[in-house]
Amino acid sequence: MKNIYSNIYSFNKKILKKTVNYLKQGNIAGLPTETVYGLGGNAYSKRAIKKIFKLKKRPNNNPLIIHYYSIKNAQKDVILNNNFLKLYKKFCPGPLTFVLKKNKKTRIDSLATAKLNTVAIRFPKHKVVRKLLKLIDFPLAMPSANRSSYLSPINANDVYKEFKNKLNIIINGGKSKVGIESTVVDLTEKPRILRPGIISYNDIKKFLKIELSVKKTKIRSPGMLKKHYSPGIPVVIGGKPRSNNHAYIFFGKKHIKKRNYFNLSKKSDLKEAASNLYKTMRKIKEQGYKKIFVAKIPNFGPGIAINDRLTRASK
Ligand code: AMP
Ligand code: MG
């Protein structure tokens, strides 16, 4: 992808150094990760955290995920446990976020964790953000780089369209491969999925060899808030387009060639469908359609995450 805006930079040593200094001063930057693009800032700096919440118009009760290079760095801020160590070994770095108890000595700003006594942590895999994390001596608080309640961005231009020149640095790291947000698993008690993702309920259950809790409690993960992930036009699950300005999202081998029909995966691959979901919704909105109808998506593996996002987008 060419950089068509002056605040979007290709990745090289020069921009790496510039971004490190910029973050050290308590500023925030648009950064690529393998899930979606993020707005990164020093998790220990109140100034940086305030900027993130303000720019996103994010409610103060929605805590941020804190990103680390390795366990060694995370230990200062959270209390590790056995389930964490097992899952870390298998899935990290990668698209999995862990909710753990806060270490009392932590320096994470209290606004970043919405004053909770837990912290959500992740070890992203994308090479750009890993190189950055290796060079700084603080973790990055990094929510998705979009205005609160809208679709997450999956490339640098998407980030630009959300915030225009309110960001001085957006690093272009190509298309986010996973394309939807990380799986969030709460490990503070019996493991429980708070937000489904590409690493599925069954992946985690199989690997830990224990049943996961499906207990519904008060909102602990505001990604669980009802309205979220909205493309900015109505989304209807079930039913078919009834006019030229309605679009249809479907999935699988059926070859339907119509201008307003969008296939998430011709191979019927749910992982591929997840990675195309936001891209497709953005494209539909940009092409001027006024409403999106969605076919039934198989509800297993990554399909659970797709249906979760679509259901919320339809609220
Ligand atoms: P986003 O940064 O937009 O990808 O969303 C981060 C997700 O992690 C949201 O669903 C948050 O509610 C969730 N999260 C962050 N910190 C915590 C925490 N301490 N406990 C539970 N969920 C959390
Ligand atoms: Mg988000």
Side-chain angles (χ1 to χ4, degrees):
M1 189 180 76
K2 263 179 65 186
N3 303 329
I4 45 181
Y5 303 107
S6 61
N7 52 350
I8 300 184
Y9 294 87
S10 296
F11 186 64
N12 55 39
K13 273 193 186 144
K14 201 171 146 200
I15 190 65
L16 184 64
K17 210 171 147 200
K18 182 169 161 157
T19 309
V20 166
N21 287 327
Y22 195 63
L23 293 170
K24 272 186 185 161
Q25 288 156 17
N27 298 304
I28 61 178
L31 303 171
T33 87
E34 74 278 15
T35 55
V36 302
Y37 272 63
L39 268 187
N42 179 350
Y44 298 154
S45 154
K46 180 151 310 290
R47 184 173 126 98
I49 302 303
K50 274 190 170 163
K51 281 188 187 167
I52 291 176
F53 275 89
K54 190 167 169 219
L55 192 57
K56 275 186 67 87
K57 297 200 172 74
R58 184 169 173 115
N60 279 349
N61 66 353
N62 191 354
L64 307 176
I65 297 175
I66 314 298
H67 296 71
Y68 295 88
Y69 183 75
S70 73
I71 289 199
K72 216 176 111 213
N73 314 107
Q75 242 164 355
K76 298 174 197 155
D77 297 322
V78 292
I79 297 166
L80 307 181
N81 62 37
N82 276 334
N83 285 332
F84 165 77
L85 293 171
K86 281 187 206 163
L87 293 171
Y88 177 88
K89 233 176 151 180
K90 172 77 180 166
F91 296 110
C92 295
L96 182 57
T97 294
F98 310 92
V99 174
L100 293 167
K101 291 202 172 115
K102 205 181 243 176
N103 184 335
K104 288 213 170 69
K105 288 187 197 136
T106 181
R107 287 168 54 209
I108 296 176
D109 184 78
S110 61
L111 176 62
T113 54
K115 300 203 166 98
L116 297 170
N117 53 13
T118 55
V119 189
I121 67 166
R122 184 162 96 85
F123 305 86
K125 191 172 184 169
H126 195 289
K127 84 165 194 244
V128 169
V129 73
R130 271 186 75 72
K131 285 212 163 131
L132 259 176
L133 285 168
K134 206 172 171 182
L135 288 174
I136 52 184
D137 57 1
F138 48 85
L140 285 177
M142 190 159 53
S144 50
N146 54 279
R147 289 158 301 147
S148 193
S149 92
Y150 290 98
L151 282 188
S152 298
I154 52 148
N155 62 47
N157 282 346
D158 291 349
V159 179
Y160 179 84
K161 284 174 198 154
E162 288 288 325
F163 301 119
K164 306 278 164 44
N165 293 315
K166 286 184 187 146
L167 284 175
N168 288 330
I169 298 179
I170 301 171
I171 299 184
N172 182 353
K175 178 183 178 285
S176 294
K177 286 210 179 89
V178 174
I180 57 169
E181 303 80 0
S182 59
T183 308
V184 179
V185 60
D186 181 358
L187 299 176
T188 55
E189 13 187 300
K190 189 173 176 192
R192 180 161 53 107
I193 305 281
L194 299 182
R195 175 172 74 184
I198 206 91
I199 295 176
S200 70
Y201 180 95
N202 277 333
D203 291 336
I204 293 177
K205 187 178 124 179
K206 250 193 244 160
F207 191 73
L208 288 182
K209 298 193 185 76
I210 51 168
E211 284 300 318
L212 307 187
S213 167
V214 287
K215 201 171 64 181
K216 286 222 165 79
T217 49
K218 335 171 243 310
I219 299 177
R220 296 191 60 175
S221 196
M224 298 161 92
L225 289 174
K226 279 207 179 107
K227 183 176 172 339
H228 215 87
Y229 315 117
S230 164
I233 51 175
V235 174
V236 180
I237 298 173
K240 288 245 173 100
R242 283 175 271 114
S243 103
N244 274 340
N245 62 18
H246 292 171
Y248 189 57
I249 293 182
F250 68 109
F251 166 87
K253 297 204 167 79
K254 270 180 285 171
H255 288 287
I256 311 171
K257 276 226 161 125
K258 278 191 185 169
R259 179 187 52 89
N260 59 339
Y261 276 50
F262 297 83
N263 196 340
L264 290 180
S265 169
K266 289 182 181 153
K267 298 187 284 194
S268 298
D269 175 346
L270 286 166
K271 241 181 165 172
E272 180 182 65
S275 85
N276 282 330
L277 181 66
Y278 292 161
K279 192 171 88 177
T280 305
M281 290 209 276
R282 275 182 189 271
K283 188 155 91 187
I284 289 172
K285 169 86 194 305
E286 280 165 16
Q287 289 183 4
Y289 291 101
K290 298 289 181 248
K291 204 173 201 174
I292 304 177
F293 288 85
V294 190
K296 252 202 145 77
I297 309 293
N299 201 40
F300 58 86
I304 295 174
I306 298 174
N307 287 323
D308 167 74
R309 306 306 191 273
L310 284 171
T311 308
R312 288 176 218 288
S314 74
K315 299 281 174 196

